[in-house]
Amino acid sequence: MSPSSETAHGKRLVIVESPAKAKTIKGYLGPGYIVEASVGHIRDLPGTAAEVPDRYTGEVRRLGVDVDHDFAPIYVVNADKKSQVTKLKSLLAESDELFLATDEDREGEAIAWHLQQVLKPKVPVHRMVFHEITKDAIQEAVRNPRDLNQRLVDAQETRRILDRLYGYEVSPVLWKKVMPKLSAGRVQSVATRLVVERERERMAFRSASYWDLVGTFSTGRTASDAANPENFGARLVSVDGRRIATGRDFGSDGRLRDAAAAANTLHLDEQAARTLAAALEQTAFAVRSVESKPYRRSPYAPFRTTTLQQEASRKLGFGAKRTMQVAQKLYENGFITYMRTDSTTLSETAVAAARAQVTQLYGADYLPDAPRVYASKVKNAQEAHEAIRPSGDRFRTPAETGLSGDDFRLYELIWMRTVASQMKDAVGQSVTVRVGGRSADGRDAEFSASGKIITFHGFLKAYVEGADDPNAELDDRERRLPRVTEGDPLAADRLNPEGHATKPPARYTEASLVKELEDREIGRPSTYASIIDTIINRKYVFKKGTALVPSFLSFAVVNLLEKHFGRLVDYDFTAKMEDDLDRIAAGQAESVPWLKRFYFGEGEGAGTAAGSAAEAGNGDGDHLGGLKELVTDLGAIDAREISSFPLSEEITLRVGRYGPYVEKASAVEGEQGQRADIPDDLPPDELTVELAEELLARPSGERALGTDPGSGNPLVAKDGRYGPYVTEVLPEGTPKTGKNAVKPRTASLFKTMSLDTVTLEDALRLLSLPRVVGTDPEGNEITAQNGRYGPYLKRGTDSRSLTSEDQLLTITLDEALAVYAQPKQRGRAAAAAPLKELGTDPVSERPVVVKDGRFGPYVTDGETNATLRKDDDVETITPERGYELLAEKRARGPVKKTAKKAPAKKAVAKKTAAKKTAVKKTAAAKTTAAKKTTAKTAAKKTATKATATGAAAAKRSAAAPDED
């Protein structure tokens, strides 16, 4: 079957997921092919009960799954895909064959199945699969199609139903007991727990201080070359045979870990270290031993999804989501193979291409005799897939691609890693030198130095893997020591005491969280980017630089899940569920019995599990529990207890419906204690008892200012979540909701005002805003207003900025007219000095600085501007974070401005001689009027339909809980 033939087989419709993929594939097929995109999923479980057909009622409408009839899913065509489905049906009606060319993973197989179910083709259907978009690969896929893999479809459907049940049953518990609009998910909740547990470790951590000595020793010889230096550094490792304590010897409580080993470990403090250094000043040192070992380092395996995300984070500063967006674009445009894979396998064609480039670029000396084969370390990896590599049977070098920006950088990373994977090992020598001497007070001190020399760089010529620890030494780093032998005398040029302190465990970054999830075998690697994006968007986690910091809200959510749904967030339980889903995909387990055990427990009906819901959630035995009973019995959950975390005997952190706050118990029983809001961006490990006391000491309660002479209502000053403000206290009984609701007047304090000094007069003036300044000679009213971007004057549609907030209260009409008499400033004022310099952007190669703008601080390289997020701080932002923000902004491209519709041009009637009769004029007028009426009616219908669709989509987005 030739892909270019048209007449023998008629028209063929090829359906892919994305327009970009369709465009690329269309260029590789002949004129007899129509390539169209489904634009992602066309059908799914309903987002809201309103989308469920009327014949379904009760729990089926709520869940979108009929749990009483073998967990039958209720699928609906997405509202925004109905027009595309109509188009696909129309194209199919004109075609003689259908090729379903969605991605080759489980999700792609499910999309193909849904397309077949919805389109109901009456022509032959083929499943067309490929892992790279090149001409040869596409034409080969057309010549050798296969049938749909129903096992993959069933496994994906089971996963989708499982996630729906988890999300739609557990999320409402969070709404009732913690806060509305929260979500729970099979993987997202476990990922959130990991981040929270790391923060708990940091909060419980107690730092330990320890000291040692660093000596600089010289051989007394003149250095002949760089390979044989004259001196070297060594660190104290033992005194009188007792090992010097280092950071790894201390536990999180600040004490030495092993009491038995403590007898053989010497913990030096500052005084002891300085005393020892002084006693060693006149010591004659000598080399006690030289140990040399061969060094060998093998290449890293080609990229799979998770390792690509980790390296892109380390080397390029990309988040997991950004990495997958760029990789998707590279794949769809034919530059790399499929980017969602857990395999490190390379095809024979790819191995040959990589080996050819090794010889071409580095020479035959760098090519191993036999091709390297990499076995996947991921359980249940789909070895039919390939690793992520450059596409084609000849790899394009980055310079040959024509790519730029982030696309170029990620392609270069993939290309280098792939080529390096087929190169020889790096080899060399590692050396350890021990230096000893006796101090003036008779103690024996021994120092140690380690060196590494690489004699053949091998694959390191092409690629060096990054590290999550910024202080870690990379593989290509050499440390040269002088050539010494045992017994050689050495002189101590310097002996410096050095102090150290143990550090709490580092917070997860996106890269390290991806690695942790994969190591624990939780979830599928292809979903990690979306999981991290979800927990950030749901405000369970925020970013501080590159670190993932849990919010106080996430502490309350995880606390509830651990205490009452223990197994659902248990790491082993979640990993076992993943194993079971893989067994279903392999045909080794049945979907429906498994779902019954998960939802109903051991039996098939509710109430069969013994004990309470909490016991069922944390019990032993089979790893599948009864979800339905867990979410039904909520009586044991104390909402206040779940969201309360004692800081001391008197102060408690609470997570309320409007945010976190600290509360100090009242001395009078029954009275509400003193409260203070906690800043949203405060990392939990920084909330100490001292800081809580400071927050509580700030003016936070209502401070009475006096009575408004106009309304007679009391005025008070408060400190709110968004800053200090003044407001009026409405009389008791004033309706607060409904059509007759009355809202109290409120105004924020100026930046020059303080909560504890603001007066009644200040409050009255603030509440008078916006203020009418006066009327200009043409009768236009001029007002002074405080807006989002600062104080300004407004006259009709003409606004002019003021220089200070105080002008809002003091500016006169003459001064306002003088402002309007000046030409409106369109250009920019003189540039202010940058707040911080970050370095040179790796993409634009221009200097990056932090500036203060009208929307707040932002990073810029002179070409691209990116506003700092709420969790970014000018003082602590790193260069890598600045580059990441600019990369994200470039990826989004310029903001598209909606063009204003031009007003309809009025038809200009030509003057003609009065020859037309009155009858003709009347008929023409009637026809025109009828046409106008019809057009107006159609426009109204269209507008109503669009509004309804938009409202439904918005409602679905806001209400539906996440399910991953």
Side-chain angles (χ1 to χ4, degrees), residues 552-602:
F552 290 102
L553 171 63
S554 68
F555 272 70
V557 169
V558 170
N559 196 28
L560 185 152
L561 294 175
E562 286 177 334
K563 289 183 177 179
H564 298 277
F565 301 95
R567 271 189 292 182
L568 295 185
V569 288
D570 180 78
Y571 303 131
D572 292 337
F573 167 78
T574 308
K576 286 176 181 176
M577 277 204 294
E578 206 61 52
D579 288 343
D580 290 344
L581 291 167
D582 286 330
R583 289 175 58 238
I584 292 170
Q588 299 168 359
E590 295 294 327
S591 172
V592 172
W594 188 87
L595 285 170
K596 284 182 177 179
R597 292 173 64 209
F598 171 77
Y599 192 70
F600 292 118
E602 282 299 320

Side-chain angles (χ1 to χ4, degrees), residues 228-500:
N228 187 23
E230 179 185 355
N231 50 39
F232 64 99
R235 191 172 295 275
L236 181 69
V237 292
S238 69
V239 174
D240 288 337
R242 294 178 67 192
R243 190 172 59 80
I244 299 298
T246 61
R248 64 175 178 270
D249 294 311
F250 296 91
S252 59
D253 59 357
R255 299 177 181 178
L256 289 171
R257 292 179 188 273
D258 192 342
N264 297 319
T265 303
L266 179 60
H267 179 192
L268 291 180
D269 58 17
E270 181 177 5
Q271 182 61 43
R274 294 192 182 280
T275 300
L276 179 60
L280 290 169
E281 283 182 356
Q282 305 301 320
T283 299
F285 290 94
V287 176
R288 289 188 174 175
S289 67
V290 179
E291 184 181 0
S292 180
K293 294 180 180 179
Y295 165 83
R296 178 175 292 274
R297 183 73 172 86
S298 297
Y300 324 103
F303 282 131
R304 58 183 190 272
T305 301
T306 53
T307 53
L308 176 63
Q309 290 172 359
Q310 291 166 51
E311 269 299 81
S313 174
R314 297 169 187 143
K315 288 184 174 291
L316 308 181
F318 289 1
K321 180 181 179 182
R322 179 76 194 118
T323 300
M324 297 310 290
Q325 287 173 335
V326 178
Q328 178 93 28
K329 185 178 176 183
L330 290 174
Y331 166 66
E332 291 180 344
N333 287 285
F335 289 101
I336 64 171
T337 53
Y338 191 53
M339 67 288 156
R340 291 188 182 90
T341 176
D342 44 21
S343 173
T344 53
T345 302
L346 289 177
S347 66
E348 291 182 7
T349 301
V351 169
R355 288 174 64 83
Q357 283 203 327
V358 171
T359 305
Q360 177 189 349
L361 298 175
Y362 300 99
D365 290 342
Y366 286 82
L367 187 71
D369 294 335
R372 292 186 179 274
V373 178
Y374 296 90
S376 178
K377 296 179 180 179
V378 180
K379 188 189 292 186
N380 299 313
Q382 301 176 64
E383 298 296 348
H385 295 179
E386 266 200 89
I388 304 169
R389 62 166 178 86
S391 60
D393 54 8
R394 177 194 171 277
F395 296 163
R396 285 169 282 188
T397 64
E400 293 173 327
T401 60
L403 295 168
S404 62
D406 290 347
D407 298 348
F408 176 89
R409 297 167 70 204
L410 192 66
Y411 178 85
E412 183 182 44
L413 196 70
I414 294 167
W415 174 79
M416 289 190 300
R417 178 88 164 212
T418 308
V419 172
S421 73
Q422 291 300 317
M423 294 175 73
K424 281 185 176 179
D425 292 350
V427 295
Q429 290 287 323
S430 61
V431 181
T432 301
V433 175
R434 292 271 181 163
V435 177
R438 190 167 293 277
S439 66
D441 56 8
R443 287 182 288 175
D444 182 78
E446 189 166 276
F447 293 75
S448 178
S450 297
K452 182 177 75 174
I453 300 172
I454 301 175
T455 55
F456 178 72
H457 279 76
F459 75 95
L460 294 176
K461 279 281 188 182
Y463 188 83
V464 180
E465 188 172 68
D468 292 323
D469 182 359
N471 299 316
E473 187 174 277
L474 301 183
D475 287 334
D476 63 341
R477 173 79 182 274
E478 288 188 306
R479 300 182 307 279
R480 293 187 178 273
L481 298 177
R483 299 189 189 104
V484 294
T485 57
E486 188 175 328
D488 283 356
L490 297 172
D493 295 341
R494 286 187 302 276
L495 289 171
N496 296 327
E498 279 194 1
H500 311 273

Side-chain angles (χ1 to χ4, degrees), residues 640 654 661-676 700-702:
R640 185 174 177 84
R654 300 195 194 281
Y661 62 93
V662 286
E663 183 177 51
K664 190 171 186 177
S666 172
V668 181
E669 189 174 349
E671 280 191 7
Q672 179 176 297
Q674 186 183 0
R675 293 183 176 185
S700 58
E702 295 183 3

Side-chain angles (χ1 to χ4, degrees), residues 316-319 322 325-326 406 409 841 843 859 864 866 880-893:
L316 308 181
F318 289 1
R322 179 76 194 118
Q325 287 173 335
V326 178
D406 290 347
R409 297 167 70 204
D841 184 82
V843 177
V859 290
T864 305
E880 291 74 19
R881 176 59 176 161
Y883 307 152
E884 180 185 5
L885 290 171
L886 290 174
E888 291 177 357
K889 184 64 182 289
R890 291 189 197 102
R892 291 196 297 269

Side-chain angles (χ1 to χ4, degrees), residues 622-646:
D622 190 274
H623 64 274
L624 286 174
L627 175 64
K628 182 62 178 175
E629 185 174 0
L630 290 178
V631 299
T632 302
D633 179 11
L634 304 180
I637 302 178
D638 184 330
R640 185 174 177 84
E641 179 190 352
I642 284 295
S643 300
S644 299
F645 305 91

Side-chain angles (χ1 to χ4, degrees), residues 6 34 258 488 502 605 626 725 796 851 934:
E6 178 182 2
I34 302 168
D258 192 342
D488 283 356
T502 56
Y725 65 99
K851 290 189 173 184
T934 305

